[in-house]
Amino acid sequence: MLEATPLGDGWILRHETAALPAVVPGCVHTDLLAAGVIPDPFLGRNETEVAWVGRRDWTYERDLRAAADGAEQTDLVFEGLDTVAEVLLDGRLLGRVRNMHRSHRFDVTGLSGRLSVRFVSAYAEAEAVRGKLGERPAAYAEPFPYIRKMACSFGWDWGPTLVTAGIWRPVRLEHWSTARIARVRPLVTVEPGLGRLELVVDIERTRVEAPLTVEATVGGVRARASVDGTEGVVRLDVPSPRLWWPRGYGEQALYDVELTLLHGDEPLDVWRRRIGFRSVELDRSPDAHGTGFTVVVNGERLFARGVNWIPDDVFPSRVTRARYRARLGQAADAGVDLVRVWGGGIYESEDFYDACDELGLLVWQDFPFACAAYPEEQPLRGEVEAEARENVVRLMPHPSLVLWNGNNENLWGFRDWDWEPRLAGESWGEGYYLGVMPRVVAELDPTRPYTAGSPWSGSWDRHPNDPAHGTHHSWEVWNRDDYTRYRDEVPRFMAEFGWQAPPAHATLRRALPDEVLAPDSPGMLHHQKAEDGNGKLRRGLERHFAFPEGDFDRWHYLTQVNQARAVAAGIEHWRSHWPVCAGTVLWQLNDCWPVTSWAAIDGDGREKPLYHELRRLYADRLLTLQVREQELVLAAVNQGAGAWEAAVRLRRMSVEGDVLGEVSVPMAAERRAVGLVGVPEELAPVGPKEFLVADVGELRALYFPAPDREIPYPRPEFEVDLVPGGVRVTALTLVRDLLLQADRLAPGARADRGLVTLLPGEQVTIGVRGWETPVLETAHSALYCVEPSR
């Protein structure tokens, strides 16, 4: 029987004459940090102080005894090496590696001695490949397209430049005889009343003549098949299986699968995974509006409520199973049902996909290509296909995985970012996205759809980012326009859009402990990686508010309000146009360090106001007031399983709190549909002193026809009381976008809600956890709301 021996202990890290304890899995930066050799690169401007680490070569060493009693073969297996290295045993070269995104296996039967993994600087490798293959255009000057490594290690417009090296995933010895299971491809299909599982098993042998069989069980069904050479195929039919559904549509039924490789009655190896019975399609049918892009699971058409996911730490080996579960749990709690694993990161660990399986989060998986022209010549082409083949098979068991995507923004970049003339006919990745990857997916994982890129209109006959066809990215709004421009178009699927805001105050205080905070203070600027990011924040703010010169706390609050308002403007509009628009994928859910960014959850795991706004925007039921053809309408968005009928209370109000008109009108929305209700003309607010309120039960929609800087708000007045488990606020005037910044009460404190607007006389209780010694004065100081323009 195959036996595995973990090799996580006993490693040292060598550089020149120094030897330090090393943690495996890990990386050079985390080992140097633990030894006190480098400062924390997340604090202050230390990132620049540790840039030298990525330019050096490093060696990991430990003793290895590979012999095992009775085993015919022993393999040394690295699940992940980052990135370019020689593997040696007592000076004997076992092999060379150059790809972070795949595993590596070496035959060490009967060997022992000093095991060394000598890492070459990723910069040196990438620059050498660039010198050989020629320059390619990219969004950033760093050489990330020339090496199969997590691109955002080299920095991004939200991430630090911390170029890693190390044994970043587990390493082990495998002792085996006769044969072992090399890989298993589980092909899951669903028919009426039947779930079918076909397990295609590839075998590696030491004895060619040995007769082998494979036996599998799932859901109480057992089947057996003989191995023909190096392949066996087992088919199992499960009657009336419980289906796996995305969250909000049904249960997340998971089945344990066990497959055993046998020589006669002797078990040689076992493969265990969990699968789910579900069907998935991508409806890209042409229609009167263009070309659709609708995810269909078990025959149910979905409006995808999505977020983009980046690596949760710039040092991915630090992301534990518990951390994945916590972060993805935050996504699920916000109403998210789709997570896009973005192409500048990694194929995540099994822990990520396990959590998505259990939480009912659909996974859209990018292949790791982003924002650059990628050469297609060797030594890259063979590595690309090898990593694709390995990871497609590795991730196939997960029912949460519903879509493979070829790249992020590279097809768009070729057409719009002046790449084509600069390339002058050189390769740039098209052969990967329209050739290698679709071929690999079709061969290995035909049960899942593939799309060539995001954005992608489906054909070079159309602009790659045409909103009427396929997936669309909206960045002109953040870069140049007001967020109200989101309402100018109805894309078929909004795969990227977003608005920046700084992280929570406690996160900034931890990252910049000795700094007098200001939007342009040195540390704040260092932790703002976007080109002219602060300028865009200012211009976006000034379209709606008077800029709070010299008041950092006010700036901090208002930029977070603006982020939530911007995202709400887009999602409310696009959801109200379902089924023409079939999904929104916010850029982005998370951060990999403390930074001003588009994230809803900051680098310390704290929720921004945007996070709480997502809970409203992505709820099954959403009320929103929209202007359609110059007429004001109420859209009742119903993603629930049942019809929604109710009476809507509409009130035209003045900012002083007077009711200028009121009516109750019926509203109806079928299951998974949108119902529209026209607003009576006499209730439409006129001028900046008026607004409209729509209430259905606990749901509310607000419509202010003017930007805040033009609204003559009264000075907000409210009373604050401490109550068990939180803070109660009673409004005496209109209080717009009240926010309790819980981390100002205590760094570990969390509030259960974000921005809330109160009419005169209304009351809200904000739950707070992690605040051990409540003080009324402290609660007052942590409350913010919109104030009259000065």
Side-chain angles (χ1 to χ4, degrees):
M1 187 70 168
L2 184 145
E3 294 182 2
T5 304
L7 297 179
D9 298 328
W11 291 91
I12 62 168
L13 172 65
R14 288 195 182 278
H15 173 60
E16 297 175 349
T17 59
L20 304 172
V23 174
V24 172
C27 73
V28 170
H29 287 83
T30 53
D31 289 331
L32 295 176
L33 189 59
V37 175
I38 61 172
D40 187 340
F42 288 9
L43 303 185
R45 289 178 282 173
N46 290 343
E47 173 198 354
T48 58
E49 300 299 314
V50 303
W52 60 271
V53 176
R55 293 283 183 180
R56 303 285 179 90
D57 298 343
W58 302 91
T59 298
Y60 283 80
E61 290 184 355
R62 63 156 287 161
D63 289 329
L64 179 72
R65 181 178 180 274
D69 295 339
E72 294 176 356
Q73 182 155 333
T74 299
D75 294 336
L76 174 62
V77 182
F78 292 95
E79 292 187 22
L81 292 170
D82 175 18
T83 293
V84 181
E86 292 183 336
V87 181
L88 303 102
L89 190 58
D90 264 357
R92 171 188 172 186
L93 181 66
L94 299 179
R96 296 184 174 89
V97 302
R98 59 194 318 145
N99 192 330
M100 178 184 186
H101 301 303
R102 57 181 292 205
S103 64
H104 301 87
R105 179 179 292 266
F106 305 102
D107 184 351
V108 292
T109 306
L111 301 179
S112 61
R114 193 69 172 169
L115 176 62
S116 301
V117 185
R118 298 179 182 172
F119 289 95
V120 175
S121 163
Y123 274 114
E125 167 73 7
E127 289 162 357
V129 173
R130 179 171 58 188
K132 175 183 176 183
L133 302 182
E135 189 82 31
R136 300 296 198 280
Y140 306 102
E142 297 281 320
F144 65 90
Y146 308 96
I147 186 170
R148 295 311 298 155
K149 174 178 173 60
M150 183 173 88
C152 61
S153 281
F154 292 90
W156 220 259
D157 58 3
W158 37 258
T161 302
L162 294 168
V163 179
T164 52
I167 305 172
W168 78 288
R169 281 184 166 160
V171 56
R172 64 184 179 274
L173 289 174
E174 289 188 358
H175 311 284
W176 56 280
S177 299
T178 307
R180 71 173 185 90
I181 299 170
R183 69 176 187 178
V184 179
R185 292 192 296 120
L187 299 166
V188 178
T189 54
V190 176
E191 300 176 11
L194 189 67
R196 289 199 156 154
L197 173 61
E198 180 176 281
L199 298 168
V200 182
V201 189
D202 290 340
I203 305 298
E204 182 180 354
R205 292 171 171 264
T206 60
R207 296 185 230 164
V208 176
E209 75 288 351
L212 304 175
T213 57
V214 283
E215 182 177 272
T217 60
V218 62
V221 176
R222 184 181 300 271
R224 190 172 181 135
S226 60
V227 174
D228 182 9
T230 58
E231 182 178 275
V233 180
V234 188
R235 297 178 177 87
L236 304 101
D237 288 348
V238 178
S240 302
R242 293 176 297 125
L243 297 182
W244 184 95
W245 287 92
R247 62 173 304 281
Y249 290 84
E251 68 170 321
Q252 287 73 57
L254 295 167
Y255 286 78
D256 292 319
V257 180
E258 182 173 296
L259 181 141
T260 304
L261 174 65
L262 298 143
H263 179 216
D265 293 329
E266 178 190 2
L268 301 176
D269 198 358
V270 176
W271 179 90
R272 297 182 181 93
R273 296 291 190 277
R274 290 185 308 176
I275 60 110
F277 288 102
R278 58 101 185 96
S279 65
V280 59
E281 305 167 67
L282 184 61
D283 185 354
R284 290 179 270 202
S285 303
D287 57 26
H289 304 280
T291 309
F293 195 92
T294 304
V295 177
V296 185
V297 178
N298 298 329
E300 187 81 65
R301 301 172 67 81
L302 313 180
F303 181 96
R305 293 168 279 186
V307 288
N308 282 274
W309 171 274
I310 66 170
D312 205 50
D313 197 313
V314 75
F315 306 130
S317 59
R318 296 201 298 200
V319 185
T320 62
R321 185 177 184 86
R323 182 162 159 184
Y324 275 124
R325 182 68 190 221
R327 194 72 68 245
L328 291 166
Q330 286 174 298
D333 289 344
V336 169
D337 59 21
L338 182 143
V339 178
R340 176 188 172 210
V341 182
W342 168 76
I346 57 177
Y347 306 94
E348 293 287 347
S349 80
E350 297 297 325
D351 295 333
F352 174 92
Y353 304 95
D354 284 345
C356 291
D357 291 343
E358 294 161 7
L359 292 167
L361 295 172
L362 302 173
V363 176
W364 158 337
Q365 176 69 53
D366 281 14
F367 286 98
F369 301 90
C371 302
Y374 283 78
E376 297 177 41
E377 295 82 6
Q378 299 294 7
L380 295 171
R381 188 178 183 88
E383 290 291 345
V384 165
E385 179 153 354
E387 84 180 43
R389 288 183 169 276
E390 177 176 335
N391 285 285
V392 166
V393 172
R394 178 174 73 88
L395 301 183
M396 279 177 67
H398 296 282
S400 56
L401 178 60
V402 295
L403 180 66
W404 292 103
N405 177 53
N407 74 89
N408 177 74
E409 298 190 342
N410 295 344
L411 297 163
W412 181 22
F414 178 76
R415 178 59 55 86
D416 263 11
W417 301 349
D418 200 35
W419 289 4
E420 190 169 4
R422 292 167 61 190
L423 284 164
E426 295 287 351
S427 66
W428 56 275
E430 183 182 26
Y432 296 146
Y433 320 134
L434 299 178
V436 174
M437 255 70 79
R439 171 171 52 80
V440 169
V441 172
E443 175 192 341
L444 299 177
D445 190 14
T447 66
R448 287 182 178 88
Y450 170 86
T451 184
S454 186
W456 179 233
S457 62
S459 170
W460 283 120
D461 294 336
R462 298 181 289 264
H463 190 281
N465 199 27
D466 187 335
H469 300 276
T471 49
H472 179 66
H473 290 195
S474 175
W475 286 114
E476 284 298 299
V477 171
W478 155 251
N479 285 317
R480 294 175 180 84
D481 289 328
D482 183 30
Y483 61 70
T484 57
R485 296 294 301 274
Y486 283 138
R487 303 186 185 112
D488 290 353
E489 60 187 16
V490 182
R492 303 313 303 270
F493 193 104
M494 180 58 80
E496 270 193 29
F497 76 104
W499 204 269
Q500 270 202 350
H505 187 265
T507 300
L508 288 173
R509 280 273 58 110
R510 188 189 70 82
L512 306 171
D514 301 320
E515 185 158 311
V516 177
L517 295 177
D520 59 352
S521 60
M524 285 294 295
L525 290 178
H526 187 81
H527 289 250
Q528 164 62 279
K529 296 295 185 178
E531 182 181 1
D532 190 30
N534 272 17
K536 293 169 185 175
L537 280 174
R538 178 170 188 138
R539 290 189 291 275
L541 202 58
E542 288 178 330
R543 293 184 178 105
H544 296 269
F545 300 97
F547 192 82
E549 298 285 359
D551 188 340
F552 177 80
D553 289 344
R554 197 83 197 146
W555 174 88
H556 180 264
Y557 160 75
L558 287 176
T559 51
Q560 292 199 330
V561 168
N562 227 34
Q563 180 187 40
R565 295 256 198 101
V567 171
I571 293 178
E572 287 186 5
H573 170 66
W574 297 318
R575 281 195 74 181
S576 76
H577 282 276
W578 161 258
V580 176
C581 180
T584 56
V585 188
L586 171 71
W587 187 269
Q588 66 217 61
L589 175 70
N590 58 326
D591 269 327
C592 64
W593 77 314
V595 65
T596 296
S597 84
W598 299 264
I601 302 169
D602 75 19
D604 281 5
R606 294 186 175 92
E607 300 96 350
K608 297 183 187 178
L610 171 59
Y611 172 84
H612 296 282
E613 185 70 353
L614 275 185
R615 297 174 68 182
R616 180 183 72 86
L617 296 167
Y618 277 168
D620 281 350
R621 292 178 173 180
L622 171 69
L623 285 183
T624 174
L625 288 158
Q626 298 286 318
V627 177
R628 299 275 182 95
E629 298 178 356
Q630 299 183 331
E631 298 291 332
L632 195 58
V633 299
L634 176 73
V637 182
N638 179 25
Q639 211 156 346
W644 183 18
E645 296 183 2
V648 183
R649 184 187 183 193
L650 293 171
R651 284 178 286 171
R652 177 183 169 195
M653 298 190 66
S654 72
V655 293
E656 289 84 11
D658 299 322
V659 177
L660 307 177
E662 180 173 345
V663 68
S664 178
V665 297
M667 176 215 79
E670 298 297 322
R671 69 180 296 276
R672 323 288 194 209
V674 178
L676 298 178
V677 178
V679 174
E681 186 176 349
E682 65 272 16
L683 288 182
V686 178
K689 293 184 178 182
E690 298 180 3
F691 64 101
L692 183 64
V693 184
D695 289 306
V696 176
E698 296 183 356
L699 299 183
R700 169 172 285 176
L702 296 168
Y703 174 73
F704 287 80
D708 291 70
R709 56 184 164 75
E710 297 177 8
I711 299 174
Y713 288 116
R715 184 154 300 280
E717 296 180 15
F718 51 85
E719 296 175 347
V720 183
D721 298 295
L722 296 179
V723 296
V727 175
R728 184 176 62 210
V729 179
T730 304
L732 305 178
T733 64
L734 172 66
V735 178
R736 184 107 189 259
D737 283 333
L738 178 75
L739 176 67
L740 176 66
Q741 294 193 10
D743 60 290
R744 291 178 182 263
L745 306 175
R750 296 289 194 274
D752 65 359
R753 66 176 63 220
L755 302 168
V756 58
T757 292
L758 300 176
L759 305 180
E762 291 186 333
Q763 192 174 81
V764 65
T765 297
I766 304 169
V768 181
R769 55 186 172 83
W771 189 21
E772 303 302 331
T773 55
V775 177
L776 184 60
E777 184 179 343
T778 306
H780 268 285
S781 67
L783 283 164
Y784 291 78
C785 66
V786 173
E787 296 179 353
S789 296
R790 300 191 183 100

